[in-house]
Amino acid sequence: MKINCRQASRLISQGLDQPLNQWQYVRLRVHLWMCGNCRQFSHQLQVLQQSARKAGRGE
């Protein structure tokens, strides 16, 4: 059930583009709970995505 940081980063990116299945979501959440680096990466990608959406709307 445990995933490594590389697998987590792929799931984080994939989750921005499409919903993760339940198993993927649970595995990622467990990893993010334990890994501060991946939590930070996830946060950075979310901020980047939000900024890109705002720029696309001309905000």
Side-chain angles (χ1 to χ4, degrees), residues 26-53:
V26 168
R27 290 172 70 196
L28 179 58
R29 287 291 146 211
V30 168
H31 183 85
L32 291 176
W33 179 70
M34 297 185 304
C35 182
N37 289 333
C38 287
R39 272 195 310 275
Q40 182 65 28
F41 176 69
S42 178
H43 177 73
Q44 289 171 342
L45 283 185
Q46 289 171 1
V47 169
L48 184 60
Q49 183 184 47
Q50 291 168 359
S51 297
R53 285 184 179 160

Side-chain angles (χ1 to χ4, degrees), residues 11-29:
L11 288 176
I12 291 165
S13 296
Q14 180 183 341
L16 292 175
D17 297 329
Q18 62 190 22
L20 299 176
N21 68 39
Q22 187 175 7
W23 182 244
Q24 291 170 319
Y25 178 81
V26 168
R27 290 172 70 196
L28 179 58
R29 287 291 146 211

